[in-house]
Amino acid sequence: MTGFEVAVRAEAALGEGPTWDAEGRRLIWIDILGSRVHTYEPDTGRRTVRATGQHVGAAKPRAGGGLVVNLRDGIGLYGPDGGSEGFRWLRREVVPGRRANDAAVAPDGALWAGTMRYDEAAGGGTLSRVAPDGTAETVLDDVAVSNGTGWSPDGRLMYYIDSPTRRVDVFDFDGRHATGRRPLVSVEDGAGFPDGLTVDADGCVWVALWDGGAVRRYTPSGRLDRVVELPVPRPTACAFGGDGLTDLYITTARTGLEAPHPLAGSVLVVPGAGKGLPQTPFAG
């Protein structure tokens, strides 16, 4: 499967976390190491950039407008006006040597936020459920690099990636609790490491492969179904957006590459790749 286009030409060090904001008709994405939150409106080409002041692992829309951000030192909120004066901490937890990473909003509006150590030490990261009031519950406390999280169309399954395991795991989900962890997919040696993911309307899981130069689609049974080959070695995450949620947006990274491809750090898009699911905004 081919046919990608360049949505946003950029040189992000670690582009990540694409999220379609249906209300604003825009794509939200981040540069973790650049400490920036970006937006892109496909209809107009308009782009914005916001500096967060510290490394940012994820940015997601809020139900009342604005953004929830998974930052190095905790979970923060931006108001709908978009100005830095509208920022406040929802939950602050400073752990030396640790930063935020990928996050996702569950069907009930809670934020599932991941962390990792800068040295990527095994067991140094976590996955936590953060309620709209800021109350947090640690779900996993033995993570290395907490990455893709997503839910099946009926909300009964949760998918999750701890990248060094080379697995996409699946849990049973009851609306709040994730139990019964088991492997769905193991990515073979030489194909890269699973990073961010998104789930489509058919219940299939799309996975970006860091150092694999591709995005793969797996069926709910774990069968490899499609492959999007890319010229950049480090795609990081993917999400459906645009009219009808049919366009697959893919963030990429250039960090650690001695001679980055000219498109490394850009946002790519595969028009008409499939059919995505509407993304629930954070309820806080």
Side-chain angles (χ1 to χ4, degrees):
M1 184 178 181
T2 57
F4 76 88
E5 300 173 1
V6 180
V8 180
R9 190 175 292 272
E11 294 187 352
L14 187 49
E16 262 283 8
T19 303
W20 183 252
D21 175 11
E23 184 70 22
R25 295 183 59 81
R26 62 181 184 169
L27 184 78
I28 301 167
W29 62 285
I30 60 167
D31 181 356
I32 293 178
L33 300 180
S35 304
R36 298 287 190 274
V37 176
H38 297 256
T39 69
Y40 164 64
E41 299 175 12
D43 292 343
T44 65
R46 181 174 182 265
R47 296 166 56 183
T48 68
V49 182
R50 171 187 293 152
T52 57
Q54 58 179 256
H55 291 160
V56 54
K60 306 295 178 182
R62 297 171 60 194
L67 298 172
V68 58
V69 284
N70 192 22
L71 294 168
R72 181 194 66 201
D73 294 344
I75 308 298
L77 300 175
Y78 283 100
D81 63 356
S84 60
E85 67 278 2
F87 176 83
R88 68 179 176 89
W89 288 103
L90 177 66
R91 179 178 181 83
R92 209 163 177 213
E93 185 179 8
V94 180
V95 179
R98 196 179 80 176
R99 70 165 174 84
N101 212 45
D102 205 357
V105 179
D108 69 346
L111 183 73
W112 287 63
T115 65
M116 59 176 283
R117 285 190 54 84
Y118 279 96
D119 61 9
E120 301 184 12
T126 61
L127 177 68
S128 298
R129 178 188 184 273
V130 182
D133 65 359
T135 304
E137 172 188 357
T138 300
V139 179
L140 299 174
D141 61 3
D142 59 351
V143 174
V145 180
S146 186
N147 261 313
T149 306
W151 288 266
S152 60
D154 63 7
R156 297 176 63 182
L157 298 174
M158 187 183 90
Y159 300 98
Y160 177 69
I161 291 171
D162 180 2
S163 290
T165 68
R166 290 186 177 275
R167 295 194 318 264
V168 180
D169 290 340
V170 59
F171 295 75
D172 297 313
F173 193 72
D174 66 2
R176 174 165 180 168
H177 303 99
T179 58
R181 183 179 185 174
R182 56 206 182 269
L184 176 75
V185 169
S186 292
V187 176
E188 68 274 16
D189 290 348
F193 292 85
D195 196 332
L197 66 78
T198 192
V199 182
D200 67 21
D202 294 326
C204 294
V205 184
W206 297 72
V207 182
L209 296 178
W210 174 275
D211 281 340
V215 173
R216 291 181 174 182
R217 180 189 196 240
Y218 293 96
T219 67
S221 66
R223 178 178 59 85
L224 178 59
D225 180 61
R226 298 183 203 169
V227 179
V228 180
E229 300 285 353
L230 301 169
V232 294
R234 291 184 166 174
T236 58
C238 52
F240 283 96
D243 291 336
L245 298 175
T246 60
D247 301 332
L248 185 71
Y249 288 92
I250 304 165
T251 48
T252 68
R254 61 193 294 113
T255 185
L257 298 174
E258 291 185 6
H261 186 280
L263 293 180
S266 295
V267 180
L268 309 179
V269 61
V270 182
K275 174 70 173 179
L277 295 168
Q279 295 301 291
T280 304
F282 179 60

